[in-house]
Amino acid sequence: MEEIYGSSGKLEELKVSGMTDTQIFYESLRDEGFTPERILGAKEKLLPFFKKQMMEVIGKSETPYVIKPGVREILEATAIDSQFLNALLTGNLSVAAKIKLDYFGLWKYFENAPNIFGELSHDRRELGKKAVVIIDEFLGAKLKPDQFIVIGDTPNDIAAARAFGAKMLSVATGKNHPKEQLLQYKPDIIIDDLSDTKKVLHILETL
């Protein structure tokens, strides 16, 4: 942030869980006069620099990420099932999302998908609305809102789903958002994790 925007603002004061990457920048810097447009306007410089810095941090850590139970299995199952289309709806910048998924060999499930990344908007709810447009264009069809299913582990994911009428499958694997808290936001379904592939597939088919 200091390299791209000249300041990190009040970053140290924020609780960033569930925020988009660009929302983190904006919330940190808005008291210094930064607008979302100014934050997003720097993406041509931001993305390669963010990637470089992230790779350096990962290189210094033995276990920078942990894959949650059942993630690989459900991606494998839905990838070969024609009734599903996997796509990312993430607040991560595109370079960050690719790095994280590449670490586990999971990027292959999304590399040709109509993905939605954090550099499209600082607001996760707006990312949800953009997902409809991008996926409809990709498919050459107009899907109903309830044909979309958002899977996530934060209240902000639920807000994103509700913003465009999608179904919401909450997964209580986030360290900052236990099951009891997620239930307060009324997801359509909540499960502890994705470890039971058969159960998750049934939920996705019937939700």
Side-chain angles (χ1 to χ4, degrees):
M1 290 175 63
E2 289 171 357
E3 173 69 23
I4 303 299
Y5 302 112
S7 172
S8 59
K10 58 179 184 180
L11 175 63
E12 297 296 330
E13 302 172 24
L14 296 184
K15 295 181 179 179
V16 301
S17 178
M19 287 188 183
T20 67
D21 287 345
T22 47
Q23 182 185 6
I24 294 169
F25 301 155
Y26 170 59
E27 296 292 346
S28 298
L29 295 170
R30 64 178 177 174
D31 289 349
E32 298 181 26
F34 280 77
T35 63
E37 291 75 20
R38 184 175 174 186
I39 296 294
L40 296 168
K43 66 182 179 182
E44 296 303 319
K45 183 180 179 183
L46 171 65
L47 293 177
F49 188 78
F50 197 99
K51 178 180 179 180
K52 177 177 178 290
Q53 294 295 311
M54 192 167 173
M55 292 299 293
E56 288 182 5
V57 170
I58 290 173
K60 298 174 183 176
S61 175
E62 292 184 7
T63 55
Y65 305 115
V66 176
I67 189 169
K68 298 296 184 179
V71 169
R72 189 183 305 278
E73 291 78 7
I74 196 63
L75 284 172
E76 289 173 351
T78 51
I80 60 175
D81 190 329
S82 60
Q83 68 182 311
F84 298 116
L85 171 67
N86 289 323
L88 294 171
L89 169 55
T90 176
N92 283 172
L93 297 173
S94 53
V95 292
K98 185 176 186 301
I99 288 170
K100 291 178 179 180
L101 291 168
D102 265 338
Y103 186 81
F104 293 108
L106 299 179
W107 177 247
K108 63 184 179 181
Y109 295 109
F110 300 101
E111 60 183 339
N112 298 311
N115 301 311
I116 295 86
F117 299 109
E119 63 260 34
L120 295 180
S121 175
H122 76 293
D123 188 332
R124 191 179 292 270
R125 294 166 299 180
E126 290 303 313
L127 292 180
K129 295 175 184 178
K130 290 177 184 293
V132 176
V133 176
I134 291 171
I135 291 174
D136 280 355
E137 288 179 353
F138 179 85
L139 294 173
K142 189 167 181 60
L143 300 181
K144 297 176 182 178
D146 63 4
Q147 289 180 272
F148 294 85
I149 302 173
V150 174
I151 304 174
D153 62 3
T154 74
N156 279 347
D157 296 316
I158 300 172
R162 298 299 178 234
F164 69 106
K167 298 291 189 178
M168 182 68 213
L169 171 57
S170 285
V171 186
T173 52
K175 63 180 180 179
N176 295 312
H177 303 289
K179 190 173 185 178
E180 295 73 21
Q181 184 190 57
L182 293 173
L183 282 169
Q184 296 174 17
Y185 295 87
K186 297 180 171 55
D188 294 291
I189 298 285
I190 188 165
I191 55 179
D192 292 328
D193 58 39
L194 301 173
S195 58
D196 187 337
T197 303
K198 185 176 180 180
K199 175 183 176 181
V200 175
L201 282 173
H202 178 72
I203 291 170
L204 296 177
E205 288 167 355
T206 58
L207 191 59

PDB file of all heavy atoms in Angstrom, residues 1-3 11 19 21 25 38 47 50 59 76 87-88 96 98-99 108 124 135 142 147 149 173 176 180 184 186-187:
ATOM      1  N   MET A   1       0.826  -1.203   0.000  1.00  0.00           N
ATOM      2  CA  MET A   1       0.000   0.000   0.000  1.00  0.00           C
ATOM      3  C   MET A   1       0.863   1.257   0.000  1.00  0.00           C
ATOM      4  O   MET A   1       0.561   2.237  -0.681  1.00  0.00           O
ATOM      5  CB  MET A   1      -0.929  -0.004   1.218  1.00  0.00           C
ATOM      6  CG  MET A   1      -2.027  -1.045   1.146  1.00  0.00           C
ATOM      7  SD  MET A   1      -3.016  -1.127   2.660  1.00  0.00           S
ATOM      8  CE  MET A   1      -3.740   0.499   2.666  1.00  0.00           C
ATOM      9  N   GLU A   2       1.937   1.208   0.759  1.00  0.00           N
ATOM     10  CA  GLU A   2       2.822   2.378   0.808  1.00  0.00           C
ATOM     11  C   GLU A   2       3.520   2.587  -0.538  1.00  0.00           C
ATOM     12  O   GLU A   2       3.730   3.728  -0.956  1.00  0.00           O
ATOM     13  CB  GLU A   2       3.837   2.200   1.933  1.00  0.00           C
ATOM     14  CG  GLU A   2       3.176   2.316   3.309  1.00  0.00           C
ATOM     15  CD  GLU A   2       4.102   1.939   4.454  1.00  0.00           C
ATOM     16  OE1 GLU A   2       5.249   1.525   4.176  1.00  0.00           O
ATOM     17  OE2 GLU A   2       3.669   2.040   5.617  1.00  0.00           O
ATOM     18  N   GLU A   3       3.839   1.499  -1.231  1.00  0.00           N
ATOM     19  CA  GLU A   3       4.488   1.606  -2.542  1.00  0.00           C
ATOM     20  C   GLU A   3       3.517   2.145  -3.592  1.00  0.00           C
ATOM     21  O   GLU A   3       3.886   2.992  -4.402  1.00  0.00           O
ATOM     22  CB  GLU A   3       5.003   0.230  -2.975  1.00  0.00           C
ATOM     23  CG  GLU A   3       5.552   0.162  -4.384  1.00  0.00           C
ATOM     24  CD  GLU A   3       6.856   0.912  -4.567  1.00  0.00           C
ATOM     25  OE1 GLU A   3       7.566   1.129  -3.555  1.00  0.00           O
ATOM     26  OE2 GLU A   3       7.170   1.281  -5.708  1.00  0.00           O
ATOM     27  N   LEU A  11      -4.505   0.748   8.394  1.00  0.00           N
ATOM     28  CA  LEU A  11      -4.563  -0.687   8.140  1.00  0.00           C
ATOM     29  C   LEU A  11      -4.459  -1.498   9.423  1.00  0.00           C
ATOM     30  O   LEU A  11      -5.189  -2.473   9.620  1.00  0.00           O
ATOM     31  CB  LEU A  11      -3.443  -1.089   7.175  1.00  0.00           C
ATOM     32  CG  LEU A  11      -3.300  -2.595   6.890  1.00  0.00           C
ATOM     33  CD1 LEU A  11      -4.544  -3.141   6.206  1.00  0.00           C
ATOM     34  CD2 LEU A  11      -2.067  -2.852   6.029  1.00  0.00           C
ATOM     35  N   MET A  19     -13.333  -8.972   3.994  1.00  0.00           N
ATOM     36  CA  MET A  19     -13.233  -7.814   3.114  1.00  0.00           C
ATOM     37  C   MET A  19     -12.579  -8.207   1.787  1.00  0.00           C
ATOM     38  O   MET A  19     -11.767  -9.125   1.730  1.00  0.00           O
ATOM     39  CB  MET A  19     -12.376  -6.711   3.754  1.00  0.00           C
ATOM     40  CG  MET A  19     -13.019  -5.967   4.886  1.00  0.00           C
ATOM     41  SD  MET A  19     -11.957  -4.550   5.350  1.00  0.00           S
ATOM     42  CE  MET A  19     -12.870  -3.904   6.743  1.00  0.00           C
ATOM     43  N   ASP A  21      -9.856  -7.374  -1.146  1.00  0.00           N
ATOM     44  CA  ASP A  21      -8.532  -6.756  -1.046  1.00  0.00           C
ATOM     45  C   ASP A  21      -8.616  -5.253  -1.254  1.00  0.00           C
ATOM     46  O   ASP A  21      -8.005  -4.470  -0.517  1.00  0.00           O
ATOM     47  CB  ASP A  21      -7.579  -7.372  -2.078  1.00  0.00           C
ATOM     48  CG  ASP A  21      -7.148  -8.783  -1.703  1.00  0.00           C
ATOM     49  OD1 ASP A  21      -7.343  -9.171  -0.528  1.00  0.00           O
ATOM     50  OD2 ASP A  21      -6.615  -9.501  -2.570  1.00  0.00           O
ATOM     51  N   PHE A  25      -7.848  -1.753   1.189  1.00  0.00           N
ATOM     52  CA  PHE A  25      -7.095  -0.544   0.831  1.00  0.00           C
ATOM     53  C   PHE A  25      -7.952   0.700   1.058  1.00  0.00           C
ATOM     54  O   PHE A  25      -7.489   1.693   1.636  1.00  0.00           O
ATOM     55  CB  PHE A  25      -6.662  -0.597  -0.643  1.00  0.00           C
ATOM     56  CG  PHE A  25      -5.812  -1.776  -1.000  1.00  0.00           C
ATOM     57  CD1 PHE A  25      -5.781  -2.248  -2.305  1.00  0.00           C
ATOM     58  CD2 PHE A  25      -5.035  -2.433  -0.056  1.00  0.00           C
ATOM     59  CE1 PHE A  25      -5.001  -3.339  -2.652  1.00  0.00           C
ATOM     60  CE2 PHE A  25      -4.249  -3.523  -0.386  1.00  0.00           C
ATOM     61  CZ  PHE A  25      -4.240  -3.983  -1.696  1.00  0.00           C
ATOM     62  N   ARG A  38     -10.162   5.811  -7.037  1.00  0.00           N
ATOM     63  CA  ARG A  38      -8.713   6.039  -6.984  1.00  0.00           C
ATOM     64  C   ARG A  38      -7.972   4.756  -6.626  1.00  0.00           C
ATOM     65  O   ARG A  38      -6.908   4.463  -7.188  1.00  0.00           O
ATOM     66  CB  ARG A  38      -8.400   7.133  -5.963  1.00  0.00           C
ATOM     67  CG  ARG A  38      -6.925   7.522  -5.910  1.00  0.00           C
ATOM     68  CD  ARG A  38      -6.725   8.700  -4.963  1.00  0.00           C
ATOM     69  NE  ARG A  38      -5.318   9.011  -4.773  1.00  0.00           N
ATOM     70  CZ  ARG A  38      -4.861   9.912  -3.908  1.00  0.00           C
ATOM     71  NH1 ARG A  38      -5.722  10.601  -3.168  1.00  0.00           N
ATOM     72  NH2 ARG A  38      -3.560  10.131  -3.777  1.00  0.00           N
ATOM     73  N   LEU A  47      -1.346  -4.767  -9.482  1.00  0.00           N
ATOM     74  CA  LEU A  47      -1.390  -6.218  -9.654  1.00  0.00           C
ATOM     75  C   LEU A  47      -0.008  -6.861  -9.754  1.00  0.00           C
ATOM     76  O   LEU A  47       0.285  -7.812  -9.028  1.00  0.00           O
ATOM     77  CB  LEU A  47      -2.262  -6.585 -10.860  1.00  0.00           C
ATOM     78  CG  LEU A  47      -3.759  -6.277 -10.706  1.00  0.00           C
ATOM     79  CD1 LEU A  47      -4.506  -6.623 -11.983  1.00  0.00           C
ATOM     80  CD2 LEU A  47      -4.363  -7.023  -9.532  1.00  0.00           C
ATOM     81  N   PHE A  50       1.766  -6.462  -6.320  1.00  0.00           N
ATOM     82  CA  PHE A  50       1.139  -7.331  -5.311  1.00  0.00           C
ATOM     83  C   PHE A  50       1.608  -8.774  -5.512  1.00  0.00           C
ATOM     84  O   PHE A  50       1.944  -9.478  -4.545  1.00  0.00           O
ATOM     85  CB  PHE A  50      -0.378  -7.235  -5.452  1.00  0.00           C
ATOM     86  CG  PHE A  50      -1.152  -7.742  -4.264  1.00  0.00           C
ATOM     87  CD1 PHE A  50      -1.659  -6.870  -3.324  1.00  0.00           C
ATOM     88  CD2 PHE A  50      -1.384  -9.093  -4.085  1.00  0.00           C
ATOM     89  CE1 PHE A  50      -2.384  -7.322  -2.225  1.00  0.00           C
ATOM     90  CE2 PHE A  50      -2.105  -9.562  -2.998  1.00  0.00           C
ATOM     91  CZ  PHE A  50      -2.608  -8.679  -2.063  1.00  0.00           C
ATOM     92  N   GLY A  59       7.446 -17.497  -0.223  1.00  0.00           N
ATOM     93  CA  GLY A  59       8.747 -18.156  -0.283  1.00  0.00           C
ATOM     94  C   GLY A  59       9.444 -18.259   1.060  1.00  0.00           C
ATOM     95  O   GLY A  59      10.327 -19.095   1.243  1.00  0.00           O
ATOM     96  N   GLU A  76     -13.378 -31.582  -8.010  1.00  0.00           N
ATOM     97  CA  GLU A  76     -13.242 -32.670  -8.984  1.00  0.00           C
ATOM     98  C   GLU A  76     -14.620 -33.186  -9.411  1.00  0.00           C
ATOM     99  O   GLU A  76     -14.856 -33.446 -10.596  1.00  0.00           O
ATOM    100  CB  GLU A  76     -12.417 -33.812  -8.383  1.00  0.00           C
ATOM    101  CG  GLU A  76     -10.947 -33.469  -8.214  1.00  0.00           C
ATOM    102  CD  GLU A  76     -10.178 -34.549  -7.463  1.00  0.00           C
ATOM    103  OE1 GLU A  76     -10.812 -35.478  -6.933  1.00  0.00           O
ATOM    104  OE2 GLU A  76      -8.934 -34.456  -7.413  1.00  0.00           O
ATOM    105  N   ALA A  87     -16.975 -21.276 -10.777  1.00  0.00           N
ATOM    106  CA  ALA A  87     -16.349 -19.982 -11.034  1.00  0.00           C
ATOM    107  C   ALA A  87     -16.018 -19.346  -9.693  1.00  0.00           C
ATOM    108  O   ALA A  87     -16.664 -19.619  -8.680  1.00  0.00           O
ATOM    109  CB  ALA A  87     -17.284 -19.069 -11.837  1.00  0.00           C
ATOM    110  N   LEU A  88     -15.012 -18.497  -9.699  1.00  0.00           N
ATOM    111  CA  LEU A  88     -14.615 -17.795  -8.486  1.00  0.00           C
ATOM    112  C   LEU A  88     -15.386 -16.488  -8.352  1.00  0.00           C
ATOM    113  O   LEU A  88     -15.503 -15.719  -9.303  1.00  0.00           O
ATOM    114  CB  LEU A  88     -13.123 -17.472  -8.512  1.00  0.00           C
ATOM    115  CG  LEU A  88     -12.161 -18.655  -8.478  1.00  0.00           C
ATOM    116  CD1 LEU A  88     -10.744 -18.173  -8.734  1.00  0.00           C
ATOM    117  CD2 LEU A  88     -12.249 -19.382  -7.152  1.00  0.00           C
ATOM    118  N   ALA A  96      -3.617 -12.748  -6.605  1.00  0.00           N
ATOM    119  CA  ALA A  96      -3.598 -13.418  -5.304  1.00  0.00           C
ATOM    120  C   ALA A  96      -4.383 -14.720  -5.353  1.00  0.00           C
ATOM    121  O   ALA A  96      -3.950 -15.753  -4.825  1.00  0.00           O
ATOM    122  CB  ALA A  96      -4.161 -12.504  -4.229  1.00  0.00           C
ATOM    123  N   LYS A  98      -4.968 -16.635  -7.927  1.00  0.00           N
ATOM    124  CA  LYS A  98      -4.238 -17.625  -8.723  1.00  0.00           C
ATOM    125  C   LYS A  98      -3.078 -18.219  -7.925  1.00  0.00           C
ATOM    126  O   LYS A  98      -2.841 -19.435  -7.961  1.00  0.00           O
ATOM    127  CB  LYS A  98      -3.722 -17.015 -10.018  1.00  0.00           C
ATOM    128  CG  LYS A  98      -3.049 -18.021 -10.952  1.00  0.00           C
ATOM    129  CD  LYS A  98      -2.649 -17.373 -12.265  1.00  0.00           C
ATOM    130  CE  LYS A  98      -2.123 -18.423 -13.228  1.00  0.00           C
ATOM    131  NZ  LYS A  98      -0.961 -19.164 -12.741  1.00  0.00           N
ATOM    132  N   ILE A  99      -2.355 -17.384  -7.205  1.00  0.00           N
ATOM    133  CA  ILE A  99      -1.236 -17.872  -6.393  1.00  0.00           C
ATOM    134  C   ILE A  99      -1.724 -18.870  -5.351  1.00  0.00           C
ATOM    135  O   ILE A  99      -1.143 -19.952  -5.168  1.00  0.00           O
ATOM    136  CB  ILE A  99      -0.509 -16.691  -5.722  1.00  0.00           C
ATOM    137  CG1 ILE A  99       0.288 -15.899  -6.759  1.00  0.00           C
ATOM    138  CG2 ILE A  99       0.430 -17.188  -4.613  1.00  0.00           C
ATOM    139  CD1 ILE A  99       0.838 -14.586  -6.242  1.00  0.00           C
ATOM    140  N   LYS A 108      -6.439 -25.077 -12.052  1.00  0.00           N
ATOM    141  CA  LYS A 108      -6.928 -25.713 -13.280  1.00  0.00           C
ATOM    142  C   LYS A 108      -8.449 -25.770 -13.330  1.00  0.00           C
ATOM    143  O   LYS A 108      -9.040 -25.842 -14.413  1.00  0.00           O
ATOM    144  CB  LYS A 108      -6.353 -27.119 -13.414  1.00  0.00           C
ATOM    145  CG  LYS A 108      -6.774 -28.077 -12.306  1.00  0.00           C
ATOM    146  CD  LYS A 108      -6.088 -29.437 -12.446  1.00  0.00           C
ATOM    147  CE  LYS A 108      -6.486 -30.382 -11.319  1.00  0.00           C
ATOM    148  NZ  LYS A 108      -5.795 -31.695 -11.444  1.00  0.00           N
ATOM    149  N   ARG A 124     -18.055  -6.226  -2.054  1.00  0.00           N
ATOM    150  CA  ARG A 124     -18.339  -7.626  -2.382  1.00  0.00           C
ATOM    151  C   ARG A 124     -19.761  -7.805  -2.928  1.00  0.00           C
ATOM    152  O   ARG A 124     -20.008  -8.680  -3.755  1.00  0.00           O
ATOM    153  CB  ARG A 124     -18.132  -8.511  -1.143  1.00  0.00           C
ATOM    154  CG  ARG A 124     -18.144 -10.000  -1.444  1.00  0.00           C
ATOM    155  CD  ARG A 124     -17.914 -10.794  -0.188  1.00  0.00           C
ATOM    156  NE  ARG A 124     -16.571 -10.636   0.335  1.00  0.00           N
ATOM    157  CZ  ARG A 124     -15.533 -11.414   0.002  1.00  0.00           C
ATOM    158  NH1 ARG A 124     -15.696 -12.379  -0.863  1.00  0.00           N
ATOM    159  NH2 ARG A 124     -14.355 -11.217   0.549  1.00  0.00           N
ATOM    160  N   ILE A 135     -21.149 -14.133 -16.018  1.00  0.00           N
ATOM    161  CA  ILE A 135     -21.466 -15.546 -16.251  1.00  0.00           C
ATOM    162  C   ILE A 135     -22.523 -15.694 -17.340  1.00  0.00           C
ATOM    163  O   ILE A 135     -22.437 -16.599 -18.184  1.00  0.00           O
ATOM    164  CB  ILE A 135     -21.899 -16.217 -14.934  1.00  0.00           C
ATOM    165  CG1 ILE A 135     -20.684 -16.311 -14.002  1.00  0.00           C
ATOM    166  CG2 ILE A 135     -22.484 -17.601 -15.182  1.00  0.00           C
ATOM    167  CD1 ILE A 135     -20.992 -16.823 -12.613  1.00  0.00           C
ATOM    168  N   LYS A 142     -29.397 -16.336 -20.069  1.00  0.00           N
ATOM    169  CA  LYS A 142     -29.799 -15.471 -18.956  1.00  0.00           C
ATOM    170  C   LYS A 142     -30.300 -16.360 -17.829  1.00  0.00           C
ATOM    171  O   LYS A 142     -31.420 -16.892 -17.897  1.00  0.00           O
ATOM    172  CB  LYS A 142     -30.870 -14.475 -19.392  1.00  0.00           C
ATOM    173  CG  LYS A 142     -31.154 -13.415 -18.329  1.00  0.00           C
ATOM    174  CD  LYS A 142     -31.956 -12.273 -18.881  1.00  0.00           C
ATOM    175  CE  LYS A 142     -32.214 -11.198 -17.830  1.00  0.00           C
ATOM    176  NZ  LYS A 142     -30.959 -10.615 -17.301  1.00  0.00           N
ATOM    177  N   GLN A 147     -30.415 -19.648  -9.618  1.00  0.00           N
ATOM    178  CA  GLN A 147     -29.585 -20.695 -10.217  1.00  0.00           C
ATOM    179  C   GLN A 147     -28.120 -20.553  -9.801  1.00  0.00           C
ATOM    180  O   GLN A 147     -27.317 -21.446 -10.066  1.00  0.00           O
ATOM    181  CB  GLN A 147     -29.693 -20.668 -11.744  1.00  0.00           C
ATOM    182  CG  GLN A 147     -31.035 -21.151 -12.264  1.00  0.00           C
ATOM    183  CD  GLN A 147     -31.114 -21.116 -13.778  1.00  0.00           C
ATOM    184  OE1 GLN A 147     -31.485 -20.116 -14.370  1.00  0.00           O
ATOM    185  NE2 GLN A 147     -30.755 -22.213 -14.404  1.00  0.00           N
ATOM    186  N   ILE A 149     -25.278 -20.346  -6.854  1.00  0.00           N
ATOM    187  CA  ILE A 149     -25.043 -20.743  -5.468  1.00  0.00           C
ATOM    188  C   ILE A 149     -23.684 -20.183  -5.040  1.00  0.00           C
ATOM    189  O   ILE A 149     -22.661 -20.483  -5.667  1.00  0.00           O
ATOM    190  CB  ILE A 149     -25.039 -22.274  -5.295  1.00  0.00           C
ATOM    191  CG1 ILE A 149     -26.370 -22.878  -5.760  1.00  0.00           C
ATOM    192  CG2 ILE A 149     -24.772 -22.635  -3.831  1.00  0.00           C
ATOM    193  CD1 ILE A 149     -26.366 -24.401  -5.782  1.00  0.00           C
ATOM    194  N   THR A 173     -15.856 -22.981   8.238  1.00  0.00           N
ATOM    195  CA  THR A 173     -14.422 -23.286   8.342  1.00  0.00           C
ATOM    196  C   THR A 173     -13.573 -22.036   8.570  1.00  0.00           C
ATOM    197  O   THR A 173     -12.369 -22.139   8.743  1.00  0.00           O
ATOM    198  CB  THR A 173     -13.926 -23.996   7.065  1.00  0.00           C
ATOM    199  OG1 THR A 173     -14.308 -23.223   5.916  1.00  0.00           O
ATOM    200  CG2 THR A 173     -14.514 -25.386   6.943  1.00  0.00           C
ATOM    201  N   ASN A 176     -12.519 -16.830  11.897  1.00  0.00           N
ATOM    202  CA  ASN A 176     -13.076 -15.644  12.546  1.00  0.00           C
ATOM    203  C   ASN A 176     -14.602 -15.622  12.582  1.00  0.00           C
ATOM    204  O   ASN A 176     -15.188 -14.706  13.163  1.00  0.00           O
ATOM    205  CB  ASN A 176     -12.575 -14.383  11.832  1.00  0.00           C
ATOM    206  CG  ASN A 176     -11.081 -14.213  11.958  1.00  0.00           C
ATOM    207  OD1 ASN A 176     -10.536 -14.318  13.052  1.00  0.00           O
ATOM    208  ND2 ASN A 176     -10.413 -13.965  10.847  1.00  0.00           N
ATOM    209  N   GLU A 180     -22.215 -20.351  14.798  1.00  0.00           N
ATOM    210  CA  GLU A 180     -23.259 -19.605  15.500  1.00  0.00           C
ATOM    211  C   GLU A 180     -23.404 -18.190  14.948  1.00  0.00           C
ATOM    212  O   GLU A 180     -24.505 -17.645  14.851  1.00  0.00           O
ATOM    213  CB  GLU A 180     -22.959 -19.545  16.997  1.00  0.00           C
ATOM    214  CG  GLU A 180     -22.978 -20.883  17.715  1.00  0.00           C
ATOM    215  CD  GLU A 180     -21.771 -21.769  17.390  1.00  0.00           C
ATOM    216  OE1 GLU A 180     -20.733 -21.216  16.937  1.00  0.00           O
ATOM    217  OE2 GLU A 180     -21.872 -22.997  17.564  1.00  0.00           O
ATOM    218  N   GLN A 184     -26.699 -16.290  12.248  1.00  0.00           N
ATOM    219  CA  GLN A 184     -27.410 -15.033  12.478  1.00  0.00           C
ATOM    220  C   GLN A 184     -27.741 -14.318  11.167  1.00  0.00           C
ATOM    221  O   GLN A 184     -28.668 -13.516  11.101  1.00  0.00           O
ATOM    222  CB  GLN A 184     -26.576 -14.120  13.373  1.00  0.00           C
ATOM    223  CG  GLN A 184     -26.349 -14.660  14.775  1.00  0.00           C
ATOM    224  CD  GLN A 184     -25.406 -13.791  15.588  1.00  0.00           C
ATOM    225  OE1 GLN A 184     -25.146 -12.638  15.250  1.00  0.00           O
ATOM    226  NE2 GLN A 184     -24.879 -14.342  16.673  1.00  0.00           N
ATOM    227  N   LYS A 186     -28.566 -15.904   8.371  1.00  0.00           N
ATOM    228  CA  LYS A 186     -29.575 -16.708   7.686  1.00  0.00           C
ATOM    229  C   LYS A 186     -29.163 -17.198   6.294  1.00  0.00           C
ATOM    230  O   LYS A 186     -29.827 -16.895   5.288  1.00  0.00           O
ATOM    231  CB  LYS A 186     -30.892 -15.932   7.609  1.00  0.00           C
ATOM    232  CG  LYS A 186     -31.496 -15.630   8.980  1.00  0.00           C
ATOM    233  CD  LYS A 186     -32.804 -14.870   8.847  1.00  0.00           C
ATOM    234  CE  LYS A 186     -33.516 -14.750  10.190  1.00  0.00           C
ATOM    235  NZ  LYS A 186     -32.686 -14.156  11.249  1.00  0.00           N
ATOM    236  N   PRO A 187     -28.077 -17.951   6.206  1.00  0.00           N
ATOM    237  CA  PRO A 187     -27.776 -18.610   4.930  1.00  0.00           C
ATOM    238  C   PRO A 187     -28.839 -19.662   4.633  1.00  0.00           C
ATOM    239  O   PRO A 187     -29.566 -20.094   5.543  1.00  0.00           O
ATOM    240  CB  PRO A 187     -26.411 -19.261   5.191  1.00  0.00           C
ATOM    241  CG  PRO A 187     -26.400 -19.511   6.664  1.00  0.00           C
ATOM    242  CD  PRO A 187     -27.147 -18.346   7.278  1.00  0.00           C
TER     243      PRO A 187
END
